[in-house]
Amino acid sequence: MINTNKINEKSKSKIGLEKHPCFNREAAKNFGRVHLPVAASCNISCNYCHRDYDCPNESRPGVTSKLISPEEAVERIWEIKKIFENISVAAIAGPGDSLSEPEVTLKTFELIKKEFPEIIPCMSTNGLNLINNLGELKNAGVKFITVTLNAVNAQIASKIYRYVKYKGVIYTEKDAAKLLLENQIKGICAAVKNGFKVKINSVLIPGINDFHIKELSEYVKKSGVYMFNVMPMIPAEKSYFYKIGIKGAERKDVAAVTKGLKDINIMGHCRQCRSDAAGLLSKDLSYMLNETANGAETEDRHIFFRGH
Ligand code: CLF
Ligand code: SF4
């Protein structure tokens, strides 16, 4: 395990690592994040996903967040700060992919930079369109990026993705996997080189990539990525994997595949939070914001439906 205490205190403070609840377990005790569900569409199709729900790459499967505009995102930050003051991070993590339609995501970050210069902007993505948007993300003040990378082998990746839509062309099978993987690696390398703090999320899929986690971790180590987060797959209802009976993974499966990994900063406190999560990682307050926005709380606090 990398000793994060060794990181120079000054550089920590400059990028905000000391206040990021996901990139720093200690910070999670006091600081919270707010997710801004502005990203509607997705440019790829993962076999464990169904687009009635949030992107399961960083979200709780089966949850549907209400889509909001960039202006409403700013309002959402004001609202959550009234309830929980220690919001240090504002992030975009769905409900689709943050960079499928980058204009909305970039506009949201621009508005945040003007209104809340003290808040750390963070974003997660499948990585297909990362390399094409890094400059704009940097200009918009983004410092923390998470890329979901489920394989570093195109053969394995081709079992995880059904298609990839890129620059107006739809790719399938091995072509889709190869293109996605190439763009993910290019995006990750460039992000690290340009000073972003990068985390890699890998969804653990039994029988598909569980035997591949060690190889993935080797790539993470040599890439200069800051943190590695292995998440158990819970296939969304109606997803391809769900239909063909591929079982999800559990936390104990994650523990088993990450146990022997050395010299790597493994995230052990991820909550697979929803794309509109708000507050401490350990205490989601999004239902309070949703009550305000919707006028009334839905029966199941974890599920409410998109207005589009
Ligand atoms: Fe959100 Fe992700 Fe930024 Fe954190 S979540 S975009 S890095 S601010 Fe955190 Fe939630 Fe786990 Fe993600 S607990 S799912 S790792
Ligand atoms: Fe679903 Fe994959 Fe797109 Fe996320 S990146 S919304 S999991 S298809």
Side-chain angles (χ1 to χ4, degrees), residues 20 22-23 33 35 58 89 91 93 122-124 146 199 229 231 267 270-273 281:
H20 198 306
C22 301
F23 282 69
R33 48 73 186 102
H35 278 175
E58 267 235 334
V89 172
C122 181
M123 189 198 77
S124 73
T146 293
K199 170 164 71 64
N229 180 22
M231 314 163 85
M267 181 178 189
C270 175
R271 308 298 285 230
Q272 285 178 275
C273 44
L281 298 192

Side-chain angles (χ1 to χ4, degrees), residues 42 44-46 48-49 51 55-57 95-97 126:
C42 189
I44 70 172
S45 177
C46 303
Y48 46 75
C49 179
R51 292 313 332 282
C55 170
N57 284 345
D97 185 71
N126 60 38

Side-chain angles (χ1 to χ4, degrees), residues 9-260:
E9 287 304 318
K10 208 169 150 196
S11 69
K12 239 181 161 184
S13 169
K14 208 169 139 205
I15 57 162
L17 199 52
E18 82 288 3
K19 285 188 183 172
H20 198 306
C22 301
F23 282 69
N24 177 355
R25 193 173 196 146
E26 274 303 298
K29 291 177 187 163
N30 300 311
F31 294 99
R33 48 73 186 102
V34 57
H35 278 175
L36 308 164
V38 296
S41 66
C42 189
N43 43 13
I44 70 172
S45 177
C46 303
N47 284 330
Y48 46 75
C49 179
H50 190 277
R51 292 313 332 282
D52 277 358
Y53 308 108
D54 285 2
C55 170
N57 284 345
E58 267 235 334
S59 302
R60 196 175 296 280
V63 167
T64 310
S65 297
K66 180 176 177 282
L67 196 68
I68 59 173
S69 68
E71 291 76 13
E72 286 169 328
V74 170
E75 282 308 308
R76 188 176 175 81
I77 301 176
W78 282 119
E79 290 305 315
I80 186 65
K81 279 170 81 70
K82 282 186 209 157
I83 305 168
F84 181 78
E85 207 183 326
N86 268 6
I87 292 291
S88 55
V89 172
I92 300 176
D97 185 71
S98 307
L99 297 175
S100 173
E101 292 168 84
E103 304 75 19
V104 181
T105 289
L106 291 166
K107 184 173 178 196
T108 307
F109 284 133
E110 289 294 351
L111 293 179
I112 295 171
K113 193 165 81 168
K114 279 191 204 130
E115 197 94 359
F116 304 97
E118 75 289 0
I119 284 191
I120 304 159
C122 181
M123 189 198 77
S124 73
T125 175
N126 60 38
L128 179 69
N129 218 2
L130 181 58
I131 187 70
N132 303 314
N133 289 283
L134 266 183
E136 281 87 349
L137 288 168
K138 198 167 186 174
N139 291 341
V142 176
K143 294 188 173 65
F144 292 85
I145 293 177
T146 293
V147 180
T148 302
L149 182 71
N150 293 327
V152 284
N153 170 309
Q155 184 70 39
I156 297 171
S158 69
K159 294 181 183 158
I160 303 172
Y161 306 102
R162 285 171 80 69
Y163 66 80
V164 160
K165 258 187 279 177
Y166 190 61
K167 297 191 175 172
V169 180
I170 295 184
Y171 300 82
T172 57
E173 301 180 355
K174 203 91 186 275
D175 293 337
K178 209 164 154 278
L179 173 64
L180 177 62
L181 187 50
E182 270 171 22
N183 280 18
Q184 287 172 324
I185 302 289
K186 276 188 212 159
I188 291 166
C189 288
V192 170
K193 209 169 155 195
N194 279 281
F196 290 91
K197 273 280 173 257
V198 182
K199 170 164 71 64
I200 286 182
N201 278 1
S202 296
V203 180
L204 180 69
I205 314 166
I208 305 282
N209 73 349
D210 45 358
F211 55 89
H212 183 55
I213 298 297
K214 174 101 176 59
E215 200 178 338
L216 255 168
S217 76
E218 293 303 327
Y219 167 73
V220 173
K221 275 194 260 185
K222 73 171 187 225
S223 65
V225 161
Y226 182 75
M227 192 172 238
F228 187 37
N229 180 22
V230 182
M231 314 163 85
M233 181 198 67
I234 307 166
E237 211 178 309
K238 298 193 261 185
S239 70
Y240 178 70
F241 279 168
Y242 183 87
K243 283 186 194 153
I244 65 167
I246 293 204
K247 298 268 181 287
E250 293 177 23
R251 277 274 149 210
K252 66 175 169 45
D253 303 317
V254 171
V257 295
T258 54
K259 197 175 163 206

